[in-house]
Amino acid sequence: MKIATVRDIRTKFPVVEGWLAETGIVAITKSGRIVAKLVPAKPSDNEPVCLNFAERYAHDGGKRAKSTNISGMLIRARE
């Protein structure tokens, strides 16, 4: 387990992220005491798959008109 300070998280996050990939757990310290442990997120099967904007624009359910209501399309995608 690697140890990072709160300052390291703010200023050197790519380095801390690399430690996380290597060791799996990074302890976060503040004033010399461990205040948190950072663990990698596990992808969930229940998370909705979001298409990027270009894919949403291209696949708007066949209701494509001359002008597309983009805000309405985004609201429907978030539901």
Side-chain angles (χ1 to χ4, degrees), residues 21-56:
E22 288 174 15
T23 63
I25 298 176
V26 175
I28 310 297
T29 62
K30 182 177 182 181
S31 301
R33 295 188 324 224
I34 294 177
V35 295
K37 290 185 180 176
L38 187 62
V39 296
K42 295 179 183 170
S44 172
D45 292 337
N46 298 335
E47 288 183 23
V49 176
C50 293
L51 301 174
N52 67 28
F53 183 77
E55 290 173 342
R56 282 195 304 251

Side-chain angles (χ1 to χ4, degrees), residues 1-78:
M1 174 172 56
K2 293 278 190 169
I3 297 175
T5 64
V6 172
R7 184 176 183 175
D8 292 335
I9 297 294
R10 285 190 305 221
T11 60
K12 303 175 189 173
F13 186 74
V15 173
V16 175
E17 187 179 20
W19 293 347
L20 187 61
E22 288 174 15
T23 63
I25 298 176
V26 175
I28 310 297
T29 62
K30 182 177 182 181
S31 301
R33 295 188 324 224
I34 294 177
V35 295
K37 290 185 180 176
L38 187 62
V39 296
K42 295 179 183 170
S44 172
D45 292 337
N46 298 335
E47 288 183 23
V49 176
C50 293
L51 301 174
N52 67 28
F53 183 77
E55 290 173 342
R56 282 195 304 251
Y57 186 77
H59 299 96
D60 64 351
K63 299 176 184 174
R64 212 167 190 172
K66 245 183 185 178
S67 66
T68 303
N69 180 357
I70 294 174
S71 62
M73 188 172 54
L74 292 174
I75 290 169
R76 285 192 307 273
R78 291 179 183 153

